[in-house]
Amino acid sequence: MRMGMRLLLGYFLIVAVAGWFVFAIFVQEVKPGVRRAMEGTLIDTATLMAEVAKDDLLSGHVQDGRLAKAFNELRFQPINASISGINKVRNEYHIYLTDRQGKVIFDSAGLAVGQDYSRWNDVWLTLRGQYGARSTLADPDRPESSVMYVAAPVIANGHILGVLSVGKANNTMTPVIKRSERRILWAGGALLGIALLIGGMMVWWINHSIGKLVRYADSVSGDQPIPLPDVGSSELRRLASALESMRIKLEGKNYIEHYVYALTHELKSPLAAIRGAAEILREGPPAEVVARFTGNILAQNARMQALVEKLLLQARVESRLEIVLAPVAVSDLFARLDASRTVQLSQKNLELRVDHNDLQVAGEEELLEEALGNLLDNAIDFTPPGGVISLTATAVQDSVLIRVTDNGSGIPDYAIERIFERFYSLPRENGQKSSGLGLAFVREVARLHRGTVQLKNASPNGVEATLTLHRRFT
């Protein structure tokens, strides 16, 4: 199982267990809470009705007194009330009145008159000056038919004359209880859904940040390092910095090994040529042979000097982790490139077409000029006499695409994947090879500028080199 899914599962289980405990307690407390509220209402009602029944009990007109008349008239006055979606259509109180011996002398339902209720808890306790209440099944075969009774004493001159008990079926509150439980369960489901959504977003953020580090590590192992990503979290940022430090140390070691090997390989040929020329010159050959081999020695020396200078420049660029970005005018870059390559263009009778624009990029001017100069030098080397080279710049959203296009021979298919490798070079028209460091330098400059460089064959012939840089916003 992936780490993100483990985090999400653990987070969701914690929330689910905590939510289950909380909502189980809420649901369990709904019914007792409603019953307690109903009991409080019953005691208030019983106390009030006991005062109403006192006069009837003292006058001896219990069956036709005010209490009896009120309940007789109440039967003909239906209730039509909607309480939070629950419809109430009738009075649900059951009231009975007993004398001081516990005998029922009035019953609102007309069923228990004359019966002895002195043994019921509500009557028994109330006649003894205590709080009397009971819950009794109206139908012994139906557990849901329980009725709660709460009694209050009828007192006159400090003496208990009787007991008035008010009852209400517990199932009348079932809709309220069910509605409350249903709303709590809905709220619990919504809470779990929100928790799952938040957990999913957190896991996505963590996976996204870790994915950046994975892609960065893969790019390092693939010898195509991308800029160090911004992962947001301080812990992941420290991990990213550790990976960057490890990359630098590993690259430093590999850099030295690779460069020593490549430099040895590149210097073998000019050194062998110089040694051969020197051995021939030692034999005292004719003047024309001396001139030819002397020129060969100078040419090989110049080749080695150029290689060393390119290596030093490449090493300085690759050792830099970041640069200070400043606004650079693309038109100024193009103008300097045009002026510095006038001689090479004239020698091969090439036409350089420059796109004049007012675009600006964010970068280091010297590095950009050197990188574009390498791309332009390659175009000059591989374009046949009389050809055309173009320098263009195009703004695309927040980027500027600088293109160097020629109509030369193009890149062979076998070389496309290796064209940016250090010391990899294709033969020019004169059969000679370059140092193979120019395009590697351009790639490093693009990396420092958090941009990209691409080379592809143009149609119908030639090569299009594209350097993508960030646009400067004013």
Side-chain angles (χ1 to χ4, degrees), residues 424-445:
Y424 186 81
S425 177
L426 295 173
R428 272 60 174 167
E429 290 181 342
N430 55 12
Q432 296 183 355
K433 290 186 177 182
S434 67
S435 64
L437 294 172
L439 290 179
F441 177 84
V442 175
R443 186 181 66 175
E444 288 300 316
V445 171

Side-chain angles (χ1 to χ4, degrees), residues 216 220 225 243-252 321 447:
Y216 173 73
V220 172
L243 285 175
E244 177 73 357
S245 300
M246 182 177 67
R247 179 188 75 83
I248 293 172
K249 291 180 180 179
L250 291 175
E251 282 194 348
L321 299 180
R447 180 184 67 84

Side-chain angles (χ1 to χ4, degrees), residues 320-385:
R320 297 178 64 174
L321 299 180
E322 58 182 13
I323 58 175
V324 179
L325 300 179
V328 178
V330 176
S331 58
D332 293 343
L333 279 177
F334 287 177
R336 286 195 296 273
L337 290 172
D338 188 6
S340 62
R341 267 68 178 180
T342 301
V343 175
Q344 295 95 312
L345 293 170
S346 299
Q347 288 176 349
K348 294 191 67 174
N349 191 27
L350 300 176
E351 179 186 357
L352 179 61
R353 297 175 181 174
V354 178
D355 175 28
H356 299 284
N357 56 74
D358 57 354
L359 295 175
Q360 287 187 332
V361 295
E364 189 172 306
E365 192 168 2
E366 293 182 0
L367 288 179
L368 292 179
E369 184 176 349
E370 185 71 27
L372 289 174
N374 285 338
L375 295 178
L376 184 56
D377 289 339
N378 282 343
I380 293 173
D381 289 343
F382 288 97
T383 302

Side-chain angles (χ1 to χ4, degrees), residues 41-67:
T41 304
L42 290 176
I43 186 61
D44 290 341
T45 305
T47 303
L48 178 62
M49 298 302 291
E51 290 297 319
V52 174
K54 180 170 64 174
D55 293 338
D56 294 344
L57 193 59
L58 289 172
S59 63
H61 295 283
V62 175
Q63 297 299 327
D64 56 355
R66 288 191 301 168
L67 186 61

Side-chain angles (χ1 to χ4, degrees), residues 72-81 88-91:
N72 287 332
E73 293 177 1
L74 193 59
R75 295 190 185 96
F76 303 101
Q77 295 180 6
I79 300 173
N80 186 17
K88 184 177 179 62
V89 296
R90 67 181 184 277
N91 188 298

Side-chain angles (χ1 to χ4, degrees), residues 8 11-12 15 186-202:
L8 179 59
Y11 168 80
F12 185 72
V15 174
W186 271 107
L191 176 61
L192 291 179
I194 294 172
L196 183 61
L197 178 62
I198 294 175
M201 293 175 64
M202 290 173 58

